[in-house]
Amino acid sequence: MRKVEASWRQAVAEGATGTATRAGYDLALAELASQGRAWAQSGAGERIAVLGELRDALMPVAAEWVNIASRLKGIAPGSQLEGEEWLSGPYAFMSACDAYAETLRQLPGKRFLNGLRQRRLPSGQLALRVLPRSLWDRILYSGISAEVWMQPGVTAENLAAHVAPTWDGPAAARQGGVALVLGAGNITSIAPLDCLHKLMVEHEVVALKLNPVLAALGPVLAAALAPLIRRGVLRILQGDGADGAYLATHPLVDTIHITGAGATHDAIVWGQGAEAAANKAAGRRMNPRPVTSELGAVCPTIVVPGPWSRADIAFQAEHIATQKLHNSGFNCVACQVLLLPEGWDAAEPLLAGVGAVMATAGQRPAWYPGAEARMESIARAAGAASSRLQRGVAPALVLVDLDKADAAAGAQGGEAFAPVLVLKRLAAPDAETFLRTAIAWVNAGLHGTLGANILIHPAVLRQIGQARLDALLADLRYGTIAINGWTGIGFSLAQTPWGAFPGHSAEDVQSGIGTVHNSYMLAHTERTVIRAPWAPFPRSLRHGFTLLPRPPWFVTHRRARQLGRLLTEFRYRPAWRKLPRILINALRG
Protein backbone atom coordinates (compact mmCIF):
# COMPACT_ATOMS: atom_id res chain seq x y z
CA MET A 1 0.00 0.00 0.00
CA ARG A 2 2.95 2.37 0.62
CA LYS A 3 3.95 2.00 -3.05
CA VAL A 4 0.42 2.89 -4.12
CA GLU A 5 0.34 5.97 -1.89
CA ALA A 6 3.78 7.09 -3.03
CA SER A 7 2.82 6.73 -6.68
CA TRP A 8 -0.40 8.58 -6.01
CA ARG A 9 1.38 11.48 -4.36
CA GLN A 10 3.82 11.66 -7.25
CA ALA A 11 0.99 11.50 -9.79
CA VAL A 12 -0.86 14.33 -8.05
CA ALA A 13 2.31 16.42 -7.97
CA GLU A 14 2.66 15.91 -11.72
CA GLY A 15 -0.92 16.94 -12.41
CA ALA A 16 -2.20 13.40 -12.87
CA THR A 17 -5.57 13.99 -11.36
CA GLY A 18 -7.13 17.42 -11.35
CA THR A 19 -9.18 18.56 -8.45
CA ALA A 20 -12.90 18.87 -9.07
CA THR A 21 -12.46 22.54 -9.88
CA ARG A 22 -12.92 24.22 -13.23
CA ALA A 23 -9.48 25.81 -12.95
CA GLY A 24 -7.96 22.37 -12.40
CA TYR A 25 -9.76 20.99 -15.44
CA ASP A 26 -8.64 23.92 -17.58
CA LEU A 27 -5.02 23.38 -16.57
CA ALA A 28 -5.15 19.62 -17.21
CA LEU A 29 -6.68 20.08 -20.66
CA ALA A 30 -4.16 22.76 -21.58
CA GLU A 31 -1.32 20.44 -20.59
CA LEU A 32 -2.79 17.65 -22.69
CA ALA A 33 -3.32 19.90 -25.70
CA SER A 34 0.33 20.93 -25.56
CA GLN A 35 1.37 17.28 -25.98
CA GLY A 36 -1.25 16.23 -28.53
CA ARG A 37 0.72 16.61 -31.74
CA ALA A 38 3.93 15.12 -30.34
CA TRP A 39 2.06 12.03 -29.16
CA ALA A 40 0.17 11.66 -32.44
CA GLN A 41 3.43 11.73 -34.37
CA SER A 42 5.29 9.34 -32.05
CA GLY A 43 6.29 6.06 -33.60
CA ALA A 44 5.46 2.44 -32.89
CA GLY A 45 8.72 1.94 -31.01
CA GLU A 46 7.91 4.65 -28.48
CA ARG A 47 4.39 3.28 -28.00
CA ILE A 48 5.77 -0.23 -27.41
CA ALA A 49 8.11 1.14 -24.77
CA VAL A 50 5.22 2.91 -23.04
CA LEU A 51 3.17 -0.29 -23.04
CA GLY A 52 6.04 -2.12 -21.41
CA GLU A 53 6.28 0.57 -18.75
CA LEU A 54 2.55 0.27 -18.12
CA ARG A 55 2.91 -3.45 -17.48
CA ASP A 56 5.66 -2.77 -14.96
CA ALA A 57 3.64 -0.03 -13.26
CA LEU A 58 0.51 -2.18 -13.04
CA MET A 59 1.89 -5.27 -11.35
CA PRO A 60 2.91 -3.69 -8.00
CA VAL A 61 -0.57 -2.19 -7.54
CA ALA A 62 -2.69 -5.01 -9.03
CA ALA A 63 -3.61 -6.53 -5.66
CA GLU A 64 -4.65 -3.16 -4.26
CA TRP A 65 -6.71 -2.54 -7.42
CA VAL A 66 -8.59 -5.76 -6.68
CA ASN A 67 -8.94 -5.00 -2.96
CA ILE A 68 -10.46 -1.57 -3.52
CA ALA A 69 -12.80 -2.80 -6.27
CA SER A 70 -13.96 -5.68 -4.08
CA ARG A 71 -14.63 -3.37 -1.15
CA LEU A 72 -16.64 -0.99 -3.35
CA LYS A 73 -18.76 -3.89 -4.60
CA GLY A 74 -19.44 -5.49 -1.24
CA ILE A 75 -17.33 -8.59 -1.88
CA ALA A 76 -16.22 -10.12 1.41
CA PRO A 77 -12.44 -10.30 1.93
CA GLY A 78 -11.13 -13.65 0.77
CA SER A 79 -14.25 -14.43 -1.27
CA GLN A 80 -13.75 -16.31 -4.51
CA LEU A 81 -15.70 -13.49 -6.17
CA GLU A 82 -12.49 -11.47 -5.97
CA GLY A 83 -11.51 -13.53 -9.01
CA GLU A 84 -13.94 -11.47 -11.07
CA GLU A 85 -12.07 -8.32 -10.11
CA TRP A 86 -8.70 -9.84 -11.03
CA LEU A 87 -9.88 -10.99 -14.45
CA SER A 88 -11.96 -7.94 -15.37
CA GLY A 89 -9.47 -5.50 -13.87
CA PRO A 90 -5.66 -5.94 -13.86
CA TYR A 91 -5.68 -9.07 -16.06
CA ALA A 92 -7.77 -7.43 -18.79
CA PHE A 93 -5.57 -4.33 -18.81
CA MET A 94 -2.33 -6.35 -18.84
CA SER A 95 -3.67 -8.43 -21.74
CA ALA A 96 -4.49 -5.30 -23.70
CA CYS A 97 -0.99 -3.89 -23.23
CA ASP A 98 0.42 -7.14 -24.62
CA ALA A 99 -2.01 -7.21 -27.54
CA TYR A 100 -1.32 -3.65 -28.68
CA ALA A 101 2.43 -4.20 -28.35
CA GLU A 102 2.21 -7.34 -30.50
CA THR A 103 0.43 -5.41 -33.25
CA LEU A 104 2.83 -2.47 -33.11
CA ARG A 105 5.88 -4.73 -33.29
CA GLN A 106 4.53 -6.19 -36.54
CA LEU A 107 3.14 -2.96 -37.93
CA PRO A 108 5.63 -2.63 -40.83
CA GLY A 109 3.92 -4.32 -43.75
CA LYS A 110 1.07 -5.16 -41.35
CA ARG A 111 2.73 -8.51 -40.80
CA PHE A 112 0.35 -9.41 -37.96
CA LEU A 113 -2.25 -10.19 -40.62
CA ASN A 114 -0.22 -13.22 -41.69
CA GLY A 115 -1.28 -15.12 -38.59
CA LEU A 116 -5.01 -14.44 -38.91
CA ARG A 117 -6.87 -17.32 -40.51
CA GLN A 118 -9.38 -16.08 -43.08
CA ARG A 119 -12.55 -17.61 -44.42
CA ARG A 120 -15.40 -16.49 -46.63
CA LEU A 121 -18.88 -16.57 -45.13
CA PRO A 122 -22.03 -17.63 -47.03
CA SER A 123 -22.89 -13.93 -47.32
CA GLY A 124 -19.59 -13.31 -49.08
CA GLN A 125 -18.20 -11.43 -46.09
CA LEU A 126 -14.69 -11.99 -44.79
CA ALA A 127 -14.14 -13.53 -41.34
CA LEU A 128 -10.81 -13.34 -39.50
CA ARG A 129 -9.95 -15.71 -36.66
CA VAL A 130 -8.16 -13.64 -34.01
CA LEU A 131 -8.13 -16.25 -31.20
CA PRO A 132 -6.32 -18.51 -30.55
CA ARG A 133 -3.18 -16.94 -31.94
CA SER A 134 -0.47 -18.35 -29.70
CA LEU A 135 0.28 -21.34 -27.50
CA TRP A 136 -0.54 -19.21 -24.45
CA ASP A 137 -3.96 -18.43 -25.95
CA ARG A 138 -4.64 -22.14 -26.29
CA ILE A 139 -3.79 -22.65 -22.63
CA LEU A 140 -5.39 -19.57 -21.05
CA TYR A 141 -8.50 -19.60 -23.28
CA SER A 142 -8.64 -23.35 -23.64
CA GLY A 143 -11.13 -24.43 -26.30
CA ILE A 144 -12.33 -20.87 -27.08
CA SER A 145 -12.06 -19.23 -30.48
CA ALA A 146 -13.00 -15.77 -31.73
CA GLU A 147 -13.70 -14.50 -35.23
CA VAL A 148 -14.19 -10.94 -36.40
CA TRP A 149 -16.64 -10.61 -39.27
CA MET A 150 -15.84 -7.69 -41.51
CA GLN A 151 -18.47 -5.50 -43.14
CA PRO A 152 -19.50 -6.20 -46.76
CA GLY A 153 -16.96 -4.80 -49.19
CA VAL A 154 -13.92 -5.81 -47.15
CA THR A 155 -12.24 -8.67 -49.00
CA ALA A 156 -9.07 -10.70 -48.73
CA GLU A 157 -7.66 -8.62 -51.57
CA ASN A 158 -8.28 -5.20 -49.99
CA LEU A 159 -8.03 -6.21 -46.33
CA ALA A 160 -4.72 -4.44 -45.73
CA ALA A 161 -6.35 -1.11 -46.55
CA HIS A 162 -8.87 -1.75 -43.76
CA VAL A 163 -6.27 -2.58 -41.11
CA ALA A 164 -4.55 0.10 -38.99
CA PRO A 165 -5.58 2.86 -41.42
CA THR A 166 -4.76 5.52 -38.80
CA TRP A 167 -1.12 4.40 -39.06
CA ASP A 168 -0.98 4.75 -42.85
CA GLY A 169 0.83 7.74 -44.30
CA PRO A 170 3.61 9.86 -42.81
CA ALA A 171 3.70 10.42 -39.06
CA ALA A 172 4.06 14.15 -39.60
CA ALA A 173 0.54 14.24 -41.06
CA ARG A 174 -1.05 12.97 -37.85
CA GLN A 175 -2.58 15.85 -35.91
CA GLY A 176 -4.00 14.01 -32.89
CA GLY A 177 -6.30 15.79 -30.49
CA VAL A 178 -7.66 15.73 -26.96
CA ALA A 179 -10.18 12.99 -26.19
CA LEU A 180 -12.50 13.10 -23.20
CA VAL A 181 -13.18 9.60 -21.90
CA LEU A 182 -16.14 9.43 -19.53
CA GLY A 183 -15.40 6.30 -17.55
CA ALA A 184 -17.84 3.55 -16.64
CA GLY A 185 -18.80 2.83 -13.05
CA ASN A 186 -19.11 -0.95 -13.15
CA ILE A 187 -16.11 -2.86 -14.59
CA THR A 188 -12.86 -1.35 -13.39
CA SER A 189 -10.79 -1.91 -16.55
CA ILE A 190 -13.28 -0.26 -18.91
CA ALA A 191 -11.94 3.28 -18.51
CA PRO A 192 -8.23 2.35 -18.79
CA LEU A 193 -8.98 0.19 -21.84
CA ASP A 194 -10.91 3.02 -23.49
CA CYS A 195 -7.89 5.27 -22.88
CA LEU A 196 -5.54 2.75 -24.49
CA HIS A 197 -7.73 2.62 -27.59
CA LYS A 198 -7.72 6.38 -27.92
CA LEU A 199 -3.96 6.58 -27.39
CA MET A 200 -2.83 3.64 -29.53
CA VAL A 201 -5.39 3.53 -32.33
CA GLU A 202 -6.69 7.09 -32.65
CA HIS A 203 -3.45 8.88 -31.65
CA GLU A 204 -5.28 11.12 -29.18
CA VAL A 205 -4.19 12.23 -25.72
CA VAL A 206 -6.80 11.59 -23.05
CA ALA A 207 -8.60 13.36 -20.24
CA LEU A 208 -10.13 10.50 -18.26
CA LYS A 209 -12.98 11.52 -16.00
CA LEU A 210 -13.66 8.72 -13.55
CA ASN A 211 -17.19 7.72 -12.76
CA PRO A 212 -17.97 8.84 -9.19
CA VAL A 213 -18.95 5.27 -8.31
CA LEU A 214 -15.32 4.18 -8.78
CA ALA A 215 -13.69 7.39 -7.55
CA ALA A 216 -11.83 5.49 -4.80
CA LEU A 217 -9.82 3.72 -7.50
CA GLY A 218 -8.20 7.01 -8.49
CA PRO A 219 -4.93 6.44 -6.54
CA VAL A 220 -4.43 2.96 -7.96
CA LEU A 221 -5.20 3.98 -11.52
CA ALA A 222 -2.87 6.95 -11.23
CA ALA A 223 -0.09 4.58 -10.16
CA ALA A 224 -0.87 1.99 -12.84
CA LEU A 225 -1.09 4.62 -15.60
CA ALA A 226 1.83 6.72 -14.34
CA PRO A 227 3.94 6.21 -17.51
CA LEU A 228 1.23 7.96 -19.54
CA ILE A 229 0.79 10.65 -16.92
CA ARG A 230 4.53 11.40 -16.84
CA ARG A 231 4.51 11.91 -20.60
CA GLY A 232 1.66 14.37 -20.33
CA VAL A 233 -0.66 12.31 -22.54
CA LEU A 234 -3.16 11.31 -19.83
CA ARG A 235 -4.84 13.17 -17.01
CA ILE A 236 -7.24 11.57 -14.53
CA LEU A 237 -10.03 13.85 -13.37
CA GLN A 238 -12.64 13.43 -10.66
CA GLY A 239 -16.06 15.05 -10.45
CA ASP A 240 -19.83 14.66 -10.79
CA GLY A 241 -22.23 14.85 -13.71
CA ALA A 242 -22.12 18.65 -13.86
CA ASP A 243 -18.34 18.47 -14.09
CA GLY A 244 -18.63 15.97 -16.91
CA ALA A 245 -20.95 18.34 -18.75
CA TYR A 246 -18.40 21.16 -18.36
CA LEU A 247 -15.64 18.96 -19.77
CA ALA A 248 -17.81 17.73 -22.67
CA THR A 249 -18.22 21.29 -23.93
CA HIS A 250 -14.71 22.50 -23.20
CA PRO A 251 -13.07 24.19 -26.21
CA LEU A 252 -9.90 22.08 -25.81
CA VAL A 253 -11.80 18.77 -26.08
CA ASP A 254 -11.90 17.42 -29.64
CA THR A 255 -13.67 14.08 -29.27
CA ILE A 256 -15.69 12.24 -26.60
CA HIS A 257 -16.06 8.59 -25.72
CA ILE A 258 -18.61 7.45 -23.16
CA THR A 259 -19.40 4.10 -21.61
CA GLY A 260 -22.66 4.39 -19.74
CA ALA A 261 -26.33 5.11 -20.29
CA GLY A 262 -28.11 6.30 -23.40
CA ALA A 263 -29.59 9.16 -21.37
CA THR A 264 -26.10 10.48 -20.64
CA HIS A 265 -25.17 10.27 -24.31
CA ASP A 266 -28.30 12.17 -25.31
CA ALA A 267 -27.71 14.85 -22.68
CA ILE A 268 -24.23 15.44 -24.12
CA VAL A 269 -25.34 15.50 -27.74
CA TRP A 270 -28.83 17.02 -27.59
CA GLY A 271 -29.22 18.71 -24.21
CA GLN A 272 -31.89 17.96 -21.61
CA GLY A 273 -35.67 17.95 -21.23
CA ALA A 274 -37.90 19.64 -23.78
CA GLU A 275 -34.93 21.37 -25.37
CA ALA A 276 -33.29 18.00 -26.08
CA ALA A 277 -36.47 16.64 -27.66
CA ALA A 278 -36.77 19.69 -29.90
CA ASN A 279 -33.09 19.54 -30.86
CA LYS A 280 -33.29 15.85 -31.71
CA ALA A 281 -36.42 16.35 -33.80
CA ALA A 282 -34.70 19.15 -35.70
CA GLY A 283 -31.38 17.32 -36.00
CA ARG A 284 -29.73 20.21 -34.17
CA ARG A 285 -26.84 18.95 -32.03
CA MET A 286 -25.89 20.89 -28.92
CA ASN A 287 -22.44 19.32 -29.03
CA PRO A 288 -20.80 19.13 -32.47
CA ARG A 289 -17.88 16.95 -31.37
CA PRO A 290 -17.58 13.35 -32.59
CA VAL A 291 -19.03 11.13 -29.85
CA THR A 292 -18.42 7.39 -29.72
CA SER A 293 -20.11 5.26 -27.11
CA GLU A 294 -20.89 1.87 -25.57
CA LEU A 295 -24.28 2.11 -23.90
CA GLY A 296 -25.42 -1.38 -22.98
CA ALA A 297 -28.50 -3.30 -24.08
CA VAL A 298 -31.21 -5.74 -23.13
CA CYS A 299 -29.10 -8.80 -23.90
CA PRO A 300 -30.62 -12.22 -24.65
CA THR A 301 -29.54 -15.80 -24.14
CA ILE A 302 -31.20 -18.15 -26.64
CA VAL A 303 -31.49 -21.75 -25.46
CA VAL A 304 -31.89 -24.02 -28.50
CA PRO A 305 -33.69 -27.34 -27.89
CA GLY A 306 -31.61 -30.47 -28.12
CA PRO A 307 -30.65 -33.75 -26.42
CA TRP A 308 -29.35 -32.23 -23.19
CA SER A 309 -28.17 -34.66 -20.53
CA ARG A 310 -28.50 -34.02 -16.79
CA ALA A 311 -24.83 -33.02 -16.76
CA ASP A 312 -25.49 -30.57 -19.61
CA ILE A 313 -28.38 -29.03 -17.70
CA ALA A 314 -26.28 -28.66 -14.54
CA PHE A 315 -23.35 -27.02 -16.34
CA GLN A 316 -25.47 -24.66 -18.46
CA ALA A 317 -27.45 -23.67 -15.36
CA GLU A 318 -24.17 -22.41 -13.88
CA HIS A 319 -23.42 -20.73 -17.20
CA ILE A 320 -26.73 -18.84 -17.34
CA ALA A 321 -26.43 -17.86 -13.68
CA THR A 322 -22.99 -16.43 -14.45
CA GLN A 323 -24.28 -14.48 -17.45
CA LYS A 324 -26.79 -12.88 -15.10
CA LEU A 325 -24.94 -12.53 -11.80
CA HIS A 326 -21.34 -11.80 -12.76
CA ASN A 327 -20.59 -8.43 -11.11
CA SER A 328 -23.97 -8.82 -9.37
CA GLY A 329 -25.73 -8.21 -12.70
CA PHE A 330 -24.14 -4.80 -13.31
CA ASN A 331 -22.74 -5.59 -16.74
CA CYS A 332 -23.80 -4.14 -20.07
CA VAL A 333 -23.88 -7.69 -21.47
CA ALA A 334 -25.56 -9.35 -18.51
CA CYS A 335 -28.26 -11.75 -19.67
CA GLN A 336 -31.59 -10.00 -19.18
CA VAL A 337 -33.89 -12.12 -21.36
CA LEU A 338 -33.77 -15.91 -21.40
CA LEU A 339 -35.51 -17.45 -24.44
CA LEU A 340 -36.70 -21.03 -24.04
CA PRO A 341 -38.41 -23.48 -26.43
CA GLU A 342 -42.06 -24.29 -25.75
CA GLY A 343 -42.65 -27.94 -24.96
CA TRP A 344 -38.98 -28.83 -24.56
CA ASP A 345 -38.62 -31.44 -21.83
CA ALA A 346 -35.38 -29.94 -20.45
CA ALA A 347 -36.76 -26.41 -20.04
CA GLU A 348 -38.19 -26.78 -16.54
CA PRO A 349 -35.23 -28.76 -15.14
CA LEU A 350 -32.94 -26.09 -16.59
CA LEU A 351 -34.92 -23.28 -14.95
CA ALA A 352 -34.88 -25.17 -11.65
CA GLY A 353 -31.12 -25.60 -11.97
CA VAL A 354 -30.59 -21.92 -12.74
CA GLY A 355 -32.68 -20.99 -9.69
CA ALA A 356 -30.72 -23.34 -7.45
CA VAL A 357 -27.38 -21.90 -8.57
CA MET A 358 -28.58 -18.31 -8.23
CA ALA A 359 -29.86 -18.96 -4.73
CA THR A 360 -26.33 -19.57 -3.48
CA ALA A 361 -23.85 -18.11 -6.00
CA GLY A 362 -22.66 -14.57 -6.52
CA GLN A 363 -23.59 -13.46 -3.01
CA ARG A 364 -23.10 -9.69 -2.70
CA PRO A 365 -25.31 -6.60 -2.40
CA ALA A 366 -26.92 -4.72 -5.26
CA TRP A 367 -24.04 -2.27 -4.97
CA TYR A 368 -24.60 -0.08 -8.02
CA PRO A 369 -26.58 3.12 -7.29
CA GLY A 370 -30.26 3.01 -8.17
CA ALA A 371 -30.42 -0.77 -8.62
CA GLU A 372 -33.11 -1.46 -6.04
CA ALA A 373 -35.35 1.29 -7.41
CA ARG A 374 -35.01 -0.11 -10.94
CA MET A 375 -35.80 -3.60 -9.70
CA GLU A 376 -38.93 -2.39 -7.90
CA SER A 377 -40.08 -0.45 -10.95
CA ILE A 378 -39.74 -3.51 -13.18
CA ALA A 379 -41.55 -5.72 -10.67
CA ARG A 380 -44.44 -3.24 -10.45
CA ALA A 381 -44.70 -2.99 -14.24
CA ALA A 382 -44.81 -6.79 -14.55
CA GLY A 383 -47.42 -7.19 -11.82
CA ALA A 384 -48.59 -10.78 -11.43
CA ALA A 385 -46.00 -11.90 -14.00
CA SER A 386 -43.15 -11.14 -11.60
CA SER A 387 -41.80 -13.15 -8.71
CA ARG A 388 -38.78 -13.08 -6.40
CA LEU A 389 -36.00 -15.60 -6.18
CA GLN A 390 -34.62 -15.41 -2.64
CA ARG A 391 -30.82 -15.43 -2.53
CA GLY A 392 -29.81 -15.32 1.12
CA VAL A 393 -27.83 -12.19 1.94
CA ALA A 394 -27.88 -11.12 -1.71
CA PRO A 395 -30.86 -9.15 -3.05
CA ALA A 396 -33.72 -11.30 -4.28
CA LEU A 397 -33.63 -11.63 -8.05
CA VAL A 398 -36.68 -10.24 -9.87
CA LEU A 399 -37.97 -12.92 -12.23
CA VAL A 400 -40.45 -11.85 -14.93
CA ASP A 401 -42.41 -14.28 -17.10
CA LEU A 402 -43.46 -12.52 -20.30
CA ASP A 403 -45.95 -15.28 -21.09
CA LYS A 404 -48.02 -14.76 -17.94
CA ALA A 405 -49.34 -11.24 -18.49
CA ASP A 406 -49.30 -8.60 -21.18
CA ALA A 407 -48.26 -6.06 -18.57
CA ALA A 408 -44.93 -7.83 -18.32
CA ALA A 409 -43.96 -6.55 -21.76
CA GLY A 410 -42.60 -3.42 -20.14
CA ALA A 411 -39.90 -5.47 -18.44
CA GLN A 412 -38.07 -6.01 -21.74
CA GLY A 413 -38.17 -2.36 -22.78
CA GLY A 414 -34.93 -1.10 -21.27
CA GLU A 415 -31.73 -2.29 -19.68
CA ALA A 416 -32.33 -3.29 -16.07
CA PHE A 417 -28.66 -3.13 -15.02
CA ALA A 418 -29.59 -5.10 -11.91
CA PRO A 419 -30.46 -8.67 -10.80
CA VAL A 420 -33.50 -9.01 -13.09
CA LEU A 421 -34.19 -11.94 -15.42
CA VAL A 422 -37.01 -12.05 -17.98
CA LEU A 423 -38.30 -15.36 -19.39
CA LYS A 424 -39.85 -15.79 -22.82
CA ARG A 425 -40.96 -19.02 -24.48
CA LEU A 426 -41.26 -19.43 -28.24
CA ALA A 427 -42.67 -22.19 -30.43
CA ALA A 428 -40.12 -24.85 -31.34
CA PRO A 429 -41.29 -27.26 -34.06
CA ASP A 430 -37.59 -28.02 -34.58
CA ALA A 431 -34.27 -26.56 -33.42
CA GLU A 432 -33.49 -24.55 -36.54
CA THR A 433 -36.96 -23.05 -36.77
CA PHE A 434 -36.80 -22.08 -33.11
CA LEU A 435 -33.44 -20.38 -33.61
CA ARG A 436 -34.76 -18.44 -36.60
CA THR A 437 -37.82 -17.38 -34.62
CA ALA A 438 -35.75 -16.36 -31.62
CA ILE A 439 -33.38 -14.29 -33.77
CA ALA A 440 -36.30 -12.47 -35.38
CA TRP A 441 -37.88 -11.87 -31.96
CA VAL A 442 -34.79 -10.37 -30.30
CA ASN A 443 -33.98 -8.24 -33.35
CA ALA A 444 -37.46 -6.75 -33.34
CA GLY A 445 -38.27 -6.68 -29.65
CA LEU A 446 -35.18 -5.87 -27.58
CA HIS A 447 -33.39 -2.60 -27.01
CA GLY A 448 -29.77 -2.43 -28.08
CA THR A 449 -27.34 -4.58 -30.06
CA LEU A 450 -24.35 -5.14 -27.79
CA GLY A 451 -24.29 -8.88 -27.12
CA ALA A 452 -26.31 -12.09 -27.58
CA ASN A 453 -25.62 -15.64 -26.38
CA ILE A 454 -26.72 -18.92 -27.97
CA LEU A 455 -26.59 -22.24 -26.10
CA ILE A 456 -26.83 -25.12 -28.58
CA HIS A 457 -25.96 -28.79 -28.28
CA PRO A 458 -23.14 -30.06 -30.56
CA ALA A 459 -25.48 -32.63 -32.12
CA VAL A 460 -27.83 -29.83 -33.14
CA LEU A 461 -24.90 -27.81 -34.46
CA ARG A 462 -23.89 -30.72 -36.67
CA GLN A 463 -27.47 -31.12 -37.87
CA ILE A 464 -27.78 -27.46 -38.83
CA GLY A 465 -24.28 -27.30 -40.30
CA GLN A 466 -21.70 -24.51 -40.33
CA ALA A 467 -22.95 -22.75 -43.47
CA ARG A 468 -26.57 -22.56 -42.33
CA LEU A 469 -25.54 -21.48 -38.83
CA ASP A 470 -23.39 -18.70 -40.30
CA ALA A 471 -26.37 -17.55 -42.35
CA LEU A 472 -28.52 -17.48 -39.21
CA LEU A 473 -25.87 -15.56 -37.28
CA ALA A 474 -25.69 -13.03 -40.11
CA ASP A 475 -29.30 -12.14 -39.29
CA LEU A 476 -28.58 -11.66 -35.55
CA ARG A 477 -27.72 -7.97 -35.32
CA TYR A 478 -25.40 -7.81 -32.31
CA GLY A 479 -21.84 -6.55 -31.95
CA THR A 480 -20.73 -9.73 -30.16
CA ILE A 481 -22.33 -13.16 -30.39
CA ALA A 482 -21.26 -16.06 -28.19
CA ILE A 483 -21.97 -19.66 -29.17
CA ASN A 484 -21.93 -21.81 -26.01
CA GLY A 485 -20.07 -19.01 -24.29
CA TRP A 486 -20.77 -15.62 -22.79
CA THR A 487 -20.26 -12.36 -24.67
CA GLY A 488 -18.35 -11.06 -21.65
CA ILE A 489 -15.43 -13.10 -23.08
CA GLY A 490 -15.46 -10.69 -26.02
CA PHE A 491 -14.97 -7.77 -23.65
CA SER A 492 -11.97 -9.42 -22.01
CA LEU A 493 -10.23 -10.07 -25.35
CA ALA A 494 -8.32 -7.01 -26.49
CA GLN A 495 -8.08 -8.51 -29.98
CA THR A 496 -11.81 -8.26 -30.64
CA PRO A 497 -13.71 -5.04 -31.35
CA TRP A 498 -16.10 -4.16 -28.54
CA GLY A 499 -19.27 -2.20 -29.18
CA ALA A 500 -22.69 -2.22 -30.78
CA PHE A 501 -23.66 -3.62 -34.15
CA PRO A 502 -22.87 -0.90 -36.70
CA GLY A 503 -25.60 1.40 -37.95
CA HIS A 504 -26.85 3.32 -34.93
CA SER A 505 -27.10 7.08 -35.15
CA ALA A 506 -26.98 9.95 -32.67
CA GLU A 507 -30.77 10.23 -33.08
CA ASP A 508 -31.31 6.55 -32.18
CA VAL A 509 -28.11 5.58 -30.41
CA GLN A 510 -29.27 2.26 -28.86
CA SER A 511 -26.05 0.47 -27.74
CA GLY A 512 -23.74 3.11 -29.09
CA ILE A 513 -21.58 4.16 -32.00
CA GLY A 514 -18.10 2.86 -32.80
CA THR A 515 -15.93 0.24 -31.13
CA VAL A 516 -12.98 0.11 -28.73
CA HIS A 517 -10.31 -2.50 -27.84
CA ASN A 518 -9.65 -4.01 -31.31
CA SER A 519 -5.88 -4.36 -30.87
CA TYR A 520 -5.46 -5.47 -34.51
CA MET A 521 -6.91 -2.07 -35.45
CA LEU A 522 -9.43 -3.52 -37.90
CA ALA A 523 -11.60 -0.93 -39.63
CA HIS A 524 -15.15 -1.60 -40.89
CA THR A 525 -15.84 -4.54 -38.58
CA GLU A 526 -19.38 -5.84 -38.20
CA ARG A 527 -19.36 -8.29 -35.30
CA THR A 528 -17.35 -10.69 -33.19
CA VAL A 529 -18.35 -14.36 -32.93
CA ILE A 530 -17.08 -16.28 -29.89
CA ARG A 531 -17.25 -20.08 -29.84
CA ALA A 532 -16.70 -22.00 -26.61
CA PRO A 533 -16.81 -25.70 -25.66
CA TRP A 534 -20.21 -27.14 -24.89
CA ALA A 535 -19.03 -29.15 -21.90
CA PRO A 536 -16.25 -28.79 -19.30
CA PHE A 537 -13.32 -31.13 -18.84
CA PRO A 538 -13.38 -34.14 -18.85
CA ARG A 539 -16.72 -34.33 -20.70
CA SER A 540 -15.19 -31.95 -23.23
CA LEU A 541 -13.26 -34.89 -24.65
CA ARG A 542 -16.50 -35.69 -26.51
CA HIS A 543 -17.65 -32.17 -27.38
CA GLY A 544 -14.81 -29.80 -28.29
CA PHE A 545 -11.75 -30.05 -26.08
CA THR A 546 -10.99 -27.75 -23.15
CA LEU A 547 -8.68 -28.14 -20.19
CA LEU A 548 -11.11 -26.30 -17.91
CA PRO A 549 -13.57 -28.14 -15.66
CA ARG A 550 -15.20 -24.76 -15.03
CA PRO A 551 -14.30 -21.40 -16.65
CA PRO A 552 -12.63 -19.05 -14.13
CA TRP A 553 -15.22 -16.30 -14.70
CA PHE A 554 -18.09 -18.54 -13.54
CA VAL A 555 -19.69 -17.28 -10.33
CA THR A 556 -19.48 -20.87 -9.09
CA HIS A 557 -15.71 -21.26 -9.53
CA ARG A 558 -14.19 -22.44 -6.26
CA ARG A 559 -10.67 -21.13 -6.92
CA ALA A 560 -11.39 -17.99 -8.94
CA ARG A 561 -9.53 -15.66 -6.57
CA GLN A 562 -6.33 -17.68 -6.68
CA LEU A 563 -6.63 -18.36 -10.39
CA GLY A 564 -7.25 -14.71 -11.27
CA ARG A 565 -4.10 -13.65 -9.45
CA LEU A 566 -2.01 -16.46 -10.95
CA LEU A 567 -3.23 -15.70 -14.48
CA THR A 568 -2.35 -12.03 -14.07
CA GLU A 569 1.13 -12.91 -12.81
CA PHE A 570 1.53 -15.35 -15.69
CA ARG A 571 0.45 -12.72 -18.21
CA TYR A 572 3.05 -10.36 -16.77
CA ARG A 573 5.90 -12.86 -16.93
CA PRO A 574 4.91 -16.03 -18.87
CA ALA A 575 6.89 -19.10 -17.83
CA TRP A 576 6.34 -22.83 -18.07
CA ARG A 577 7.14 -23.24 -14.36
CA LYS A 578 4.04 -21.19 -13.49
CA LEU A 579 1.63 -23.43 -15.39
CA PRO A 580 1.35 -26.28 -12.84
CA ARG A 581 -0.12 -23.97 -10.14
CA ILE A 582 -2.51 -22.49 -12.70
CA LEU A 583 -3.65 -25.93 -13.83
CA ILE A 584 -4.01 -27.22 -10.26
CA ASN A 585 -6.24 -24.30 -9.31
CA ALA A 586 -8.18 -24.60 -12.56
CA LEU A 587 -8.82 -28.28 -11.92
CA ARG A 588 -9.88 -27.58 -8.32
CA GLY A 589 -12.37 -24.93 -9.47
Side-chain angles (χ1 to χ4, degrees), residues 178-191:
V178 177
L180 171 64
V181 170
L182 298 173
N186 58 335
I187 295 293
T188 58
S189 67
I190 289 177

Side-chain angles (χ1 to χ4, degrees), residues 509-578:
V509 72
Q510 297 271 325
S511 288
I513 297 170
T515 61
V516 290
H517 305 181
N518 190 17
S519 64
Y520 289 122
M521 306 185 194
L522 305 171
H524 302 107
T525 61
E526 184 181 76
R527 76 186 80 210
T528 295
V529 177
I530 307 288
R531 290 180 171 85
W534 168 253
F537 182 84
R539 291 194 303 117
S540 61
L541 296 173
R542 296 179 54 200
H543 299 305
F545 181 71
T546 177
L547 294 169
L548 302 176
R550 182 176 283 111
W553 52 87
F554 268 35
V555 294
T556 51
H557 200 286
R558 293 186 291 269
R559 303 288 290 182
R561 179 172 61 91
Q562 295 87 341
L563 194 54
R565 178 178 57 80
L566 290 170
L567 287 172
T568 305
E569 292 172 351
F570 179 88
R571 175 62 76 177
Y572 179 55
R573 290 283 187 266
W576 288 105
R577 61 181 173 76
K578 296 181 180 180

Side-chain angles (χ1 to χ4, degrees), residues 109-117 133:
K110 303 180 181 179
R111 297 193 310 272
F112 54 86
L113 284 177
N114 298 336
L116 303 183
R117 183 182 300 176
R133 179 73 182 266

Side-chain angles (χ1 to χ4, degrees), residues 74 83 177 195-196 236 308 364 445 469 482 493 552 584:
C195 293
L196 273 190
I236 301 176
W308 291 29
R364 77 196 95 175
L469 179 65
L493 296 173
I584 288 170

